């Protein structure tokens, strides 16, 4: 059992920590891939090829039902756009040598915009069991709370509002590729030393950059990393591994036990 003392703030990744990744992003990924394929394909076999290429480009393996935790699905939208356009272009050029790179981006942009209109992120966001209660408990114990997410700020705020916990958070870093610098910048906005923060994330990349910034770190297995790969994925940078945020324990003296 690991005890973390002198912690002033707990900073949380969003998806996979308190928002169910499967309920939200796997559905969005599948929908985007489908409408890109429908927009671009001229035959049924081509539709299947484009759809599958877009799914794979997001780091999703449908055969094994696994997700690359460092893949584009965990990246900001600009990186997702590039990954999808690349997959579309490579697949289309095999059937149509005249197909242009610019056409791929135009199609992907229109389909991403359509997906935004058709899918309501807030409605699709569902809390991971016990996470909202734990967030409220952390706030009641006097910890500052922050969000560290690659998703855009509007989507993150919509989830916080839906779960009725927005007012509990004092800072957010959203919509950018995660680095130790923007983790430190978030801490500065929250008026807390990174060394006195605890990051909770399902992403090995998040754990690494927070550790580089000086934070304590806890990995959770409620997101994209399979339990069988936890030690391999998190061993170098995570101070502790839990099944979910709900397992985080407080000792009543503003200390965290994992």
């Amino acid at each position: 059992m690991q005890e973390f003392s002198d912690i002033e703030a707990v900073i949380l990744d969003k998806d996979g920590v308190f928002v169910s990744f499967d309920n939200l992003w796997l559905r969005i990924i599948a929908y985007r891939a489908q409408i890109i394929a429908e927009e671009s394909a001229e035959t049924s076999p081509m539709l299947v090829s484009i759809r599958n290429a877009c799914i794979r480009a997001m780091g999703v393996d449908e055969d094994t039902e696994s997700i690359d935790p460092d893949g584009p699905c965990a990246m900001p939208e600009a990186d997702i756009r590039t990954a999808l356009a690349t997959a579309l272009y490579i697949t289309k050029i095999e059937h149509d040598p005249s197909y242009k790179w610019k056409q791929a981006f135009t199609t992907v942009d229109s389909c991403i915009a359509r997906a935004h209109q058709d899918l309501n992120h807030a409605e699709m966001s569902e809390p991971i069991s016990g996470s909202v209660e734990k967030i409220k408990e952390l706030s009641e114990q006097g910890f500052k709370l922050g969000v560290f997410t690659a998703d855009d700020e509007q989507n993150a705020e919509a989830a916080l509002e839906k779960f009725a916990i927005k007012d509990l958070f004092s800072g957010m870093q959203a919509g950018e590729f995660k680095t130790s610098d923007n983790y430190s910048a978030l801490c500065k906005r929250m008026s807390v030393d990174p060394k006195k923060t605890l990051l909770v994330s399902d992403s090995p990349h998040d754990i690494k950059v927070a550790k580089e910034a000086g934070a304590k770190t806890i990995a959770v297995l409620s997101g994209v990393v399979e339990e069988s790969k936890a030690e391999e994925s998190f061993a170098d940078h995570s101070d502790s591994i839990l099944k979910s945020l709900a397992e985080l324990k407080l000792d009543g003296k503003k200390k965290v036990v994992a």
Side-chain angles (χ1 to χ4, degrees):
M1 183 174 292
Q2 176 74 43
E3 182 178 281
F4 301 93
S5 58
D6 201 26
I7 298 296
E8 295 181 4
V10 178
I11 297 177
L12 308 173
D13 181 21
K14 177 173 76 77
D15 301 307
V17 175
F18 63 91
V19 174
S20 170
F21 187 95
D22 291 358
N23 283 1
L24 179 61
W25 286 106
L26 288 184
R27 292 163 66 189
I28 291 174
I29 288 168
Y31 187 71
R32 284 175 174 172
Q34 183 66 29
I35 61 177
I36 288 170
E38 290 174 354
E39 183 80 14
S40 309
E42 297 165 6
T43 65
S44 294
M46 190 188 298
L47 185 148
V48 173
S49 294
I50 293 171
R51 179 197 175 278
N52 291 346
C54 289
I55 293 286
R56 288 194 301 271
M58 292 294 94
V60 177
D61 187 326
E62 291 186 293
D63 292 333
T64 62
E65 298 185 345
S66 63
I67 304 165
D68 179 359
D70 293 320
C73 63
M75 300 295 180
E77 191 161 292
D79 299 284
I80 291 172
R81 173 181 182 258
T82 300
L84 288 171
T86 301
L88 173 58
Y89 175 77
I90 290 173
T91 308
K92 279 283 289 185
I93 201 75
E94 294 177 0
H95 303 276
D96 180 5
S98 67
Y99 191 71
K100 304 298 183 185
W101 181 249
K102 183 177 180 180
Q103 291 176 266
F105 275 99
T106 298
T107 297
V108 166
D109 287 344
S110 67
C111 290
I112 287 177
R114 177 181 160 189
H116 274 305
Q117 292 177 345
D118 293 350
L119 303 177
N120 186 307
H121 280 237
E123 288 182 1
M124 294 169 65
S125 294
E126 296 296 335
I128 292 172
S129 178
S131 62
V132 171
E133 294 78 6
K134 183 58 62 176
I135 288 169
K136 292 178 179 178
E137 184 181 352
L138 287 165
S139 178
E140 290 169 0
Q141 286 287 325
F143 293 100
K144 293 181 179 180
L145 298 176
V147 176
F148 190 50
T149 180
D151 195 13
D152 69 49
E153 188 169 345
Q154 182 178 358
N155 289 340
E157 288 188 346
L160 296 178
E161 288 176 352
K162 179 180 180 180
F163 302 161
I165 53 175
K166 182 180 178 180
D167 292 344
L168 304 183
F169 287 82
S170 59
M172 180 182 297
Q173 173 65 39
E176 296 183 67
F177 182 74
K178 296 174 181 177
T179 66
S180 58
D181 286 342
N182 57 31
Y183 185 88
S184 296
L186 170 60
C187 294
K188 185 175 182 179
R189 292 195 298 274
M190 294 175 64
S191 300
V192 61
D193 185 334
K195 294 179 181 178
K196 295 185 177 182
T197 68
L198 174 67
L199 174 79
V200 182
S201 177
D202 70 322
S203 164
H205 174 76
D206 294 5
I207 297 292
K208 179 177 181 291
V209 300
K211 181 62 70 175
E212 289 172 352
K216 302 294 190 300
T217 59
I218 292 179
V220 290
L221 304 179
S222 49
V224 296
V225 173
E226 299 172 25
E227 188 169 355
S228 62
K229 298 179 180 178
E231 292 295 336
E232 174 187 353
S233 299
F234 295 116
D236 292 339
H237 304 288
S238 176
D239 295 307
S240 186
I241 300 174
L242 300 176
K243 288 186 177 180
S244 70
L245 177 62
E247 287 194 347
L248 193 65
K249 298 185 184 301
L250 308 177
D251 74 350
K253 299 177 181 177
K254 208 175 174 184
K255 292 182 182 179
V256 178
V257 181

